[in-house]
Amino acid sequence: MQDEESFSFQLNKTQVLSSQSVETSLITLERAQKLDLLIHLITNLRASLVVCGPAGIGKATLLGELKDRKQDVWPIVSILGSDSSSFESIQKQTLSFLTKFYPEYKNQELSSVLSSLDKQSKKVVVVIGGAGQLVPGLISSVIEYAAVNECLRVVFSLTQDELHLKNSSDKSIDDCHFIEVPPLTEKQCGVFLQNLSAKPGAVVSFNAISELMVERVYRKTHGIPGRIIAELPSLSNFTA
């Protein structure tokens, strides 16, 4: 939802540096709500999940927050997808992580480990980043495998363009629940710039951030954090 409130600089540098809330690390309350929804769906839904949004929107940040918040509760396996990934390699990485998380399952096959965890009503979360790089059909294979192992919850990270392509090659993706990461509003863009300016080695100083700078950055980046970060070098000599 677009925030129509005019931009105002209500944070001072001390507040920016000291804030450690999830909302700040995710930048917006809306994104924190997406995290809460993701956790709720993993807890209560059998279907696989897709976190989607354009490149640079913050999908990896959201999934990183999921791991930080829940890694003591669920084993969360992070896998980076590529065109060389295979069903077997995903299984191997999952098993390797599980035997570290649950040492008592050392030297067992993945099927045996999952069967045991099923009986204990435990969950295993497999997060596949860059899922758009996976070969056609692999996403469907993973979804179908998770469907017969009750403890498995799979989360794929995809851009909208990748999702469109996968709709043709991996029909099972239609059965996933989708969580779209929203862009920043103009006001949130300004707060993000303030947070970036407070980091060591920042190329833009806190005091240099103005309404005009925020307006121009927002217009150029459409509120996508990755694009805002890419704009920072060009802002070092910004003049109104």
Side-chain angles (χ1 to χ4, degrees):
M1 181 182 294
Q2 183 71 13
D3 185 348
E4 296 181 354
E5 182 181 353
S6 60
F7 184 83
S8 60
F9 292 93
Q10 298 178 346
L11 294 180
N12 60 43
K13 192 168 185 177
T14 301
Q15 289 173 315
V16 171
L17 285 169
S18 64
S19 180
Q20 297 294 325
S21 68
V22 170
E23 287 79 2
T24 297
S25 60
L26 288 177
I27 305 165
T28 71
L29 176 61
E30 294 89 344
R31 290 173 177 232
Q33 291 171 338
K34 296 291 185 181
L35 174 61
D36 289 339
L37 174 60
L38 180 59
I39 291 171
H40 173 78
L41 293 174
I42 290 172
T43 302
N44 298 288
L45 192 70
R46 283 286 313 278
S48 295
L49 305 167
V50 172
V51 173
C52 58
I57 196 68
K59 300 184 291 296
T61 299
L62 184 74
L63 294 170
E65 290 288 345
L66 169 68
K67 189 166 187 176
D68 288 345
R69 184 184 288 193
K70 303 299 288 186
Q71 62 184 346
D72 293 335
V73 180
W74 303 324
I76 300 179
V77 188
S78 297
I79 297 173
L80 181 60
S82 71
D83 57 6
S84 63
S85 297
S86 65
F87 185 69
E88 291 73 20
S89 69
I90 291 172
Q91 286 183 308
K92 184 177 180 180
Q93 290 179 73
T94 302
L95 178 60
S96 176
F97 185 91
L98 287 178
T99 53
K100 292 176 182 176
F101 197 90
Y102 298 114
E104 63 269 29
Y105 293 122
K106 186 178 180 181
N107 299 323
Q108 292 193 30
E109 298 291 331
L110 180 61
S111 57
S112 298
V113 176
L114 295 179
S115 177
S116 178
L117 295 175
D118 280 344
K119 293 174 182 177
Q120 300 173 62
S121 299
K122 293 187 177 180
K123 293 179 177 62
V124 176
V125 182
V126 178
V127 176
I128 302 181
Q133 301 298 313
L134 300 179
V135 296
L138 184 50
I139 286 179
S140 286
S141 295
V142 173
I143 291 172
E144 292 161 9
Y145 186 73
V148 298
N149 291 278
E150 291 190 13
C151 65
L152 270 181
R153 301 291 186 273
V154 182
V155 184
F156 301 97
S157 176
L158 292 156
T159 67
Q160 286 99 337
D161 288 342
E162 290 169 341
L163 181 57
H164 178 72
L165 291 173
K166 292 303 180 184
N167 278 330
S168 300
S169 64
D170 294 77
K171 295 298 184 182
S172 295
I173 206 166
D174 291 337
D175 298 327
C176 294
H177 190 99
F178 299 91
I179 297 177
E180 187 167 358
V181 183
L184 306 182
T185 64
E186 184 172 341
K187 181 177 181 180
Q188 292 162 352
C189 176
V191 175
F192 186 45
L193 283 170
Q194 288 176 322
N195 276 279
L196 292 174
S197 74
K199 292 182 178 295
V203 297
V204 178
S205 72
F206 186 90
N207 293 332
I209 300 171
S210 64
E211 291 188 24
L212 180 59
M213 176 191 287
V214 173
E215 179 185 354
R216 291 186 180 179
V217 170
Y218 180 74
R219 190 185 312 127
K220 189 168 184 179
T221 64
H222 303 288
I224 296 176
R227 296 181 187 175
I228 295 171
I229 293 172
E231 282 295 305
L232 290 179
S234 68
L235 300 177
S236 58
N237 297 313
F238 180 87
T239 57

